[in-house]
C-alpha cells in the first residue's frame, strides 16, 4: 500500500488505498468567484475565514488554498492566506498556484508538510517545481499533461504521469510523495471522459503504485443536478482507484457518496462511521436531513 | 462489445458495455415476502400485477419472476405468473428458480427469448440447465460458485465463471448468451466484498468478455440508509464493468445512481435522458422530488 502523508504542525492526514478517502476542500479559490477575488485583493479575508470553518465542519480532511487573482501580488496574498487558514484550523493544506514564486512563498510560511498543487509534465515546470518540493520536504500533485496538451488517450496520460514520477525520483522525491491527477474533462463535452479516467486510475494504483487526486466538480459542467453527478463520479472513481479529491465538502450528495464509497471499499471499519451517521435517520424525512447535516461533520482521518 | 439480447414477443433489451445499464426488477419474488407467498399459493396474483406495473412504470427494463414458495407446486405457479406478467407488460423476463422443472415450465410458456436465472458451476446443475437453455434458445445467468461453495478469492470465482462459459460453449451456447453473476456478499459481514466483486467484474469485461449481473440489494444487509449504499454500490460496479443488475427500480436512490452512472460511462447519449429528467427540478425541493418520480419513468433501452 502506498501512503502519502500530509501534515500541519499538529495533525497528519494519510492518503492511501486502505484508508478513508481524503476530501480536500476546494472553496478557498478566487477563480470564478469575483467577489472573493475582489475582497482578497483588497485585504478582506472574512470570506476565507468562513470558508475555512465551514469546510472543516463539513468534514474536509484537508483544504486547498489558491490565491490566483489577476494583476495582484499572488505570492504575498497566498502566503498571507495560508497563515490565516493555519491560524484557524489544524487540517493540512494543499498550496495551489500556477506561479512558482507563489508556491515558494506559500511553502516558506507553511507549518508542516504541505501538498504542492501542482507540477505538470512540462519540462520547465518539472525543473522549477520539483526542487522546491524536495527543498521543503513536501508532497506534490502531478498533473498528467505536458507541452503537447492533454491527450484523450488514457495510455498517453498514464505515460506522462509515469515520466513525472521518474523525474521526481531523480530529484530524490519518492513515489509515495507524488499524487497523480489524471485530469477529468466535463462529461457533457467528452462522453468518454469518465471511462478514460477510470482506466488511468486503475493503472496508477496497480502499475505505477501511486496515490491519485482529482478536481471533481467540473465533470458535471453544463448539466443539471450537478451534485448527484459529482457524487456518483467520485464513488465510481474510488472503485477504480482514486484515493483523494479536491471537491466541495459542503455538498451533501458528494459527502454521502464518499462515505458510502468508504464502506464499500472496506475502508470504514465495521461501517462504524456509516452506522453512527445514519442509524437514527428517518427515511427521506425533513428531520432526517437536518440530523444528517449535523452528524456528517467528521474529524479528519488520522 | 459483447451484446446479450433478451426479448419478449414484441420488445428487445440489449445488455452491453456500450448500452444503458439494464435494471431487472426484483420485486416479483416471494422469498422473504410472507404475504406475497401466501397469496400466490392461494391463487391471488393481485400483488404480482401491482408489482409488475409499478416496476415497469419506475423504469425497469426487465423483470425477474420467481415463485419459490415452500410446499407449493412451483413449476405450475411460476408458469402461471409468467403468463400473467406477459399479459400485462412487454418488457422481457428473467425466469428465476432453483428448481430445474420450474425453469422448464417457465420456458415452455414464455413468449420471446428469456433470461434463465440461473446455472451455477455445480456439475449436476450445468448438465441439467444448459441443455434447457440451448433447447429454448435462451440466455442464462451464470453464478460463480460450485460444489465447494463461494470462494472469497476473486480469482477462484473468476475461474468458476470461466468454466461455466466453456461448458456452455460445449452445449452450443455462445459467450454472449452468458451473463455472469460474481456473487456479492453483504459488506457489513465481509468488508472486502465490494473490492472482490469490482476486481472480478473488470476481468469478466476485459478477459472473459461477458456481460454481468448482480443481485444488488443485499450488499447493504444490516446497515442503515440501505438505498444510498445500494445505489453507490451499483455506480461503483458499473465503473468496474457491471452491465445489469437485479434490483429494486422503485428505490429512487438506486435509479438516480444508475442514471448518473450511464452519463459517466458515456452511455446516455449527449446526457439526453439526464437533462430531460432533471433540467427543471428545483434543488432539494419537495416539488423537485415529485417531478423526479414522474419523469424518472423511462422506456426500456432498445
Amino acid at each position: 500500500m502506498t501512503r502519502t502523508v500530509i501534515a500541519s504542525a499538529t495533525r497528519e492526514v494519510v492518503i492511501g488505498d486502505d484508508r478513508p478517502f481524503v476530501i480536500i476542500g476546494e472553496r478557498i479559490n478566487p477563480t470564478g468567484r469575483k467577489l472573493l477575488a475582489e475582497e482578497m485583493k483588497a485585504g478582506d479575508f472574512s470570506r476565507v475565514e468562513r470558508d475555512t470553518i465551514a469546510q472543516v465542519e463539513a468534514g474536509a480532511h484537508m483544504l486547498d488554498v489558491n490565491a490566483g487573482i489577476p494583476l495582484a501580488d499572488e505570492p504575498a496574498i497566498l502566503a498571507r492566506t495560508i497563515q490565516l487558514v493555519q491560524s484557524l484550523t489544524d487540517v493540512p493544506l494543499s498550496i495551489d498556484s500556477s506561479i512558482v514564486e507563489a508556491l515558494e512563498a506559500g511553502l516558506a510560511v507553511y507549518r508542516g508538510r504541505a501538498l504542492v498543487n501542482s507540477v505538470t509534465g512540462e519540462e520547465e515546470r518539472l525543473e522549477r517545481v520539483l526542487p522546491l518540493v524536495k527543498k521543503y520536504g513536501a508532497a506534490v500533485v502531478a498533473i498528467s499533461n505536458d507541452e503537447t496538451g492533454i491527450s484523450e488517450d488514457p495510455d498517453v496520460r498514464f505515460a506522462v504521469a509515469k515520466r513525472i514520477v521518474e523525474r521526481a525520483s531523480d530529484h530524490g522525491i519518492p513515489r509515495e510523495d507524488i499524487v497523480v491527477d489524471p485530469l477529468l474533462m466535463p462529461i457533457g463535452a467528452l462522453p468518454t471522459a469518465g471511462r478514460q479516467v477510470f482506466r488511468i486510475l486503475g493503472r496508477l494504483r496497480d502499475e505505477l503504485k501511486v496515490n491519485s487526486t482529482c478536481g471533481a466538480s467540473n465533470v458535471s459542467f453544463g448539466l443539471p443536478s450537478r451534485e448527484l453527478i459529482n457524487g456518483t463520479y467520485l464513488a465510481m472513481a474510488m472503485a477504480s482507484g482514486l484515493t483523494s479529491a479536491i471537491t466541495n465538502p459542503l455538498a451533501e450528495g458528494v459527502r454521502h457518496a464518499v462515505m458510502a464509497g468508504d464502506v464499500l471499499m472496506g475502508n470504514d471499519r465495521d461501517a462504524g462511521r456509516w452506522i453512527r451517521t445514519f442509524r437514527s435517520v428517518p427515511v427521506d424525512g425533513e428531520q432526517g436531513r437536518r440530523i444528517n447535516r449535523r452528524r456528517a461533520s467528521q474529524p479528519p482521518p488520522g
Side-chain angles (χ1 to χ4, degrees), chain A residues 214-296:
Chain A
C214 215
S217 297
N218 281 335
V219 66
S220 58
F221 183 79
L223 295 178
S225 291
R226 293 187 61 174
E227 199 175 302
L228 191 47
I229 294 276
N230 293 348
T232 304
Y233 163 74
L234 278 177
M236 295 171 88
M238 288 169 77
S240 308
L242 188 68
T243 50
S244 73
I246 301 174
T247 189
N248 183 6
L250 304 177
E252 188 178 76
V254 167
R255 232 165 42 227
H256 288 178
V258 168
M259 287 173 67
D262 278 337
V263 172
L264 290 158
M265 293 301 285
N267 290 338
D268 176 1
R269 190 193 296 248
D270 297 327
R273 184 174 54 149
W274 185 265
I275 292 168
R276 280 194 308 279
T277 306
F278 290 104
R279 67 182 151 197
S280 58
V281 175
V283 175
D284 247 7
E286 178 55 34
Q287 196 194 352
R289 271 185 282 131
R290 248 187 280 123
I291 292 172
N292 286 1
R293 287 223 178 79
R294 201 166 57 236
R295 292 217 179 152

Side-chain angles (χ1 to χ4, degrees), chain A residues 49-129:
Chain A
E49 289 181 19
R50 292 197 300 276
D51 282 340
T52 299
I53 306 290
Q55 291 185 101
V56 172
E57 280 188 357
H61 310 114
M62 295 178 51
L63 298 180
D64 186 76
V65 179
N66 179 301
I69 304 160
L71 306 177
D73 182 358
E74 186 173 330
I77 299 178
L78 185 59
R80 181 169 167 191
T81 309
I82 285 165
Q83 288 178 302
L84 172 66
V85 172
Q86 287 211 298
S87 75
L88 296 169
T89 180
D90 66 352
V91 307
L93 305 186
S94 152
I95 301 176
D96 182 1
S97 178
S98 55
I99 296 176
V100 179
E101 290 74 18
L103 293 177
E104 177 144 36
L107 282 163
V109 301
Y110 183 77
R111 292 177 303 128
R113 182 163 209 272
L115 180 62
V116 172
N117 186 7
S118 57
V119 69
T120 68
E122 297 161 288
E123 195 56 36
E124 180 263 350
R125 303 291 298 175
L126 287 167
E127 288 310 311
R128 292 190 68 198
V129 175

Side-chain angles (χ1 to χ4, degrees), chain A residues 81-207:
Chain A
T81 309
I82 285 165
Q83 288 178 302
L84 172 66
V85 172
Q86 287 211 298
S87 75
L88 296 169
T89 180
D90 66 352
V91 307
L93 305 186
S94 152
I95 301 176
D96 182 1
S97 178
S98 55
I99 296 176
V100 179
E101 290 74 18
L103 293 177
E104 177 144 36
L107 282 163
V109 301
Y110 183 77
R111 292 177 303 128
R113 182 163 209 272
L115 180 62
V116 172
N117 186 7
S118 57
V119 69
T120 68
E122 297 161 288
E123 195 56 36
E124 180 263 350
R125 303 291 298 175
L126 287 167
E127 288 310 311
R128 292 190 68 198
V129 175
L130 292 179
L132 268 187
V133 171
K134 177 63 183 172
K135 175 180 170 189
Y136 286 95
V140 63
V141 174
I143 299 191
S144 56
N145 73 305
D146 61 13
E147 286 84 356
T148 63
I150 302 169
S151 172
E152 284 195 24
D153 181 342
D155 294 336
V156 172
R157 297 235 286 280
F158 177 80
V160 173
K162 190 157 180 279
R163 205 171 63 236
I164 301 175
V165 168
E166 286 162 359
R167 188 64 70 85
S169 173
D170 295 343
H171 284 268
I173 302 164
R175 74 178 55 226
E176 58 261 32
D177 288 336
I178 317 286
V179 180
V180 174
D181 181 340
L183 277 170
L184 178 63
M185 305 284 134
I187 194 83
L190 186 68
T192 56
R195 281 178 192 260
Q196 284 173 9
V197 167
F198 302 147
R199 187 68 70 169
I200 302 171
L201 287 170
R203 297 191 65 191
L204 291 175
R205 175 186 60 194
D206 299 335
E207 296 176 44

